[in-house]
Amino acid sequence: MTKPLDGVRVLDLSRVLAGPWATQALADLGAEVIKVEQPGSGDDTRHWGPPWHEHEGAKVAAYFLAANRGKRSVAIDFSNDEGAALVRRMAADCDVVVENFKVGGLKKFRLDAETLRDANPRLIYASITGFGQDGPYAGRAGYDYIIQGMGGLMSLTGLPDEEPGGGPMRVGVAVADLFTGMYTAQAILAALIRRGVTGEGATIDMALFDTQLALLANQASNALVSGKDPQRQGAGHPNIVPYQPFAASDQPIIVAVGNDRQFAKLAAILGHPEWASDPAFATNAARVGARERLVPLIARILAERPAAEWLAQLEQGGIPAGPINTVLQALADPQAVHRGARVSAGGGALGDVAMVGSPIRLDGERIDAPLPPPALGEHGDLLGEWVAADELARLRAAGIVG
């Protein structure tokens, strides 16, 4: 299959998660992604282990593997003038540059948007920072954990203060980083479409903080409409009841009733069809108000039988429900297996690498990039496109190129 971004070349100066997540998405869509890393150390996440992936003496953290599929790695020290000049030559031949340095951090190397776009007006230059290119916090470093706290997400996540173990919690994956990466990829795709019309590139300014605020979604709308801060509901939902986990006799299950018709079916399955006509429970708005009364009633009944029995009955009744899987259980779920969620890419210096693939399908085909995550500097010979062989040898001897 010809992929949508075949022929698009991306120079990836980013590291850790938000930037690499964006460029991995572009690689899956068919872009050629050249990842520039620091000689000797590379992307910080190469060292964020255990656990480690090891192959023939090469060792890399599992964290790195999650965000760097489909890329070619070259090692260039662009804090050196010659290294920076080489990266500028590369950028002149690229369609996209992605970086996530502090605001102004690349200007001293003349790798900033203004410099590179002057040399290549068609270039799309995407910067990812914690707080954006302007504003009172622009100079601050941005870390997902801090952004989840400052951006309101942790105030919504976890049990209420008055319950045992209550208090704000971070989400179990770095959602601010991951969503910023996806929004960045989306912005790059939009800029590529616009460039096809105007011939002009773009400068993209993405901030983790902006993304986190956008991700508050209905909770932000709740606050703006009501003038009140939403409260932590644990695993419950602020706007829908019942919509939460319940303990069956052997393990917990999630029951997610999305409308009044589903509630009527649930009430019948639980042996209380009269609930559907009870004014206290008949509508979702009423159920939200009666949460403290209704939820314990449902919980007592569900606790009487095993999860498998309830799930079968709920599915037959058309009521959304499911188990709470561990990560390995989720990846081994029959639906995950059928959809090919787990992929393996090999042929590189790191050998076969097991990963979770892209969720995107085009025309019935998965779009996972065929290349595995790279070893540091694995594709250094690519630099022969911009540097003569003797000059490349000299740069390697000097440690400017790995």
Side-chain angles (χ1 to χ4, degrees), residues 228-254:
K228 299 178 181 178
D229 278 321
Q231 301 301 301
R232 288 189 300 282
Q233 301 285 342
H237 195 287
N239 302 105
I240 311 173
V241 173
Y243 203 96
Q244 65 183 74
F246 292 92
S249 63
D250 55 348
Q251 67 183 71
I253 62 173
I254 299 169

Side-chain angles (χ1 to χ4, degrees), residues 1-17:
M1 179 179 69
T2 300
K3 292 189 175 182
L5 296 187
D6 281 350
V8 173
R9 176 176 272 182
V10 178
L11 189 63
D12 185 4
L13 306 183
S14 69
R15 63 266 195 250
V16 187
L17 189 53

Side-chain angles (χ1 to χ4, degrees), residues 314-328:
L314 292 168
E315 181 176 358
Q316 186 176 9
I319 299 167
I324 299 177
N325 287 328
T326 67
V327 172
L328 289 176

Side-chain angles (χ1 to χ4, degrees), residues 3-246:
K3 292 189 175 182
L5 296 187
D6 281 350
V8 173
R9 176 176 272 182
V10 178
L11 189 63
D12 185 4
L13 306 183
S14 69
R15 63 266 195 250
V16 187
L17 189 53
W21 198 253
T23 53
Q24 178 172 264
L26 299 176
D28 282 338
L29 289 165
E32 176 192 4
V33 178
I34 303 173
K35 183 177 179 71
V36 178
E37 302 185 68
Q38 181 68 22
S41 57
D43 191 317
D44 291 346
T45 60
R46 288 185 180 276
H47 313 287
W48 286 8
W52 304 100
H53 170 84
E54 298 186 56
H55 176 73
E56 295 181 353
K59 178 178 175 181
V60 64
Y63 196 117
F64 174 85
L65 304 178
N68 289 284
R69 174 178 62 250
K71 305 176 188 179
R72 292 178 170 88
S73 171
V74 297
I76 304 173
D77 180 5
F78 55 74
S79 66
N80 177 281
D81 289 343
E82 289 185 291
L86 174 55
V87 175
R88 286 195 295 273
R89 290 200 294 275
M90 296 170 71
D93 289 333
C94 288
D95 299 285
V96 179
V97 168
V98 178
E99 59 91 4
N100 60 352
F101 286 76
K102 278 189 175 182
V103 172
L106 291 180
K107 192 172 184 66
K108 59 187 174 182
F109 308 125
R110 295 176 58 217
L111 295 174
D112 55 298
E114 183 179 4
T115 300
L116 296 187
R117 290 198 60 213
D118 279 347
N120 179 5
R122 290 177 55 81
L123 182 67
I124 295 163
Y125 188 106
S127 294
I128 300 172
T129 57
F131 298 95
Q133 297 293 312
D134 49 39
Y137 301 159
R140 293 188 185 182
Y143 291 88
D144 179 274
Y145 203 150
I146 296 169
I147 298 298
Q148 285 194 35
M150 292 183 68
L153 183 62
M154 287 179 62
S155 78
L156 306 171
T157 308
L159 295 169
D161 287 333
E162 62 272 15
E163 294 189 18
M169 295 184 68
R170 72 176 183 90
V171 178
V173 293
V175 289
D177 273 328
L178 296 172
F179 273 92
T180 302
M182 294 311 298
Y183 274 118
T184 301
Q186 177 181 338
I188 289 168
L189 295 176
L192 285 167
I193 292 171
R194 189 183 72 172
R195 189 184 72 174
V197 176
T198 67
E200 289 293 318
T203 300
I204 296 169
D205 171 10
M206 299 298 303
L208 272 66
F209 187 64
D210 295 349
T211 296
Q212 182 56 80
L213 294 177
L215 290 182
L216 294 175
N218 60 295
Q219 293 283 37
S221 187
N222 290 345
L224 293 171
V225 168
S226 69
K228 299 178 181 178
D229 278 321
Q231 301 301 301
R232 288 189 300 282
Q233 301 285 342
H237 195 287
N239 302 105
I240 311 173
V241 173
Y243 203 96
Q244 65 183 74
F246 292 92

